[in-house]
Amino acid sequence: MAMTDLLSAEDIKKAVGAFSAAESFNYKKFFEMVGLKKKSPEDVKKVFHILDKDRSGFIEEDELKFVLKGFTPDGRDLSDKETKALLAAGDKDGDGKIGAD
């Protein structure tokens, strides 16, 4: 399954483009722009599994760095600061990874 099976290619392009500058990534705005906030919990889990490149059931810090590339191959890598902020927002139990729930 491709990301464009779940989200609009146009929305993905706009969202990734909006955060193309280093240190500009805002995960709340990005997920809203890409259309995830309007999706069902089932569709959000499908997106999660696309981003979970190693199929571990979790998205770890090393996978988060490349989250924009998970939406489109020409997305940039997140900086260490951006990656840590995204991890902190999603890691509810402090184990260093984000689960599907």
Side-chain angles (χ1 to χ4, degrees), residues 22-78:
E23 303 300 334
S24 67
F25 186 70
N26 178 308
Y27 64 89
K28 288 181 181 179
K29 287 182 184 175
F30 177 79
F31 293 141
E32 185 176 329
M33 288 178 74
V34 85
L36 273 177
K37 293 204 174 212
K38 299 176 195 167
K39 294 296 180 182
S40 69
E42 295 81 26
D43 282 346
V44 172
K45 283 187 179 186
K46 289 176 186 174
V47 169
F48 176 91
H49 291 297
I50 292 170
L51 296 173
D52 178 18
K53 298 294 185 194
D54 66 1
R55 304 286 182 243
S56 67
F58 297 95
I59 299 177
E60 295 88 1
E61 187 171 345
D62 60 329
E63 290 171 313
L64 283 178
K65 184 170 193 69
F66 308 111
V67 72
L68 295 180
K69 287 183 178 170
F71 285 87
T72 182
D74 57 350
R76 70 173 176 89
D77 295 347
L78 296 183

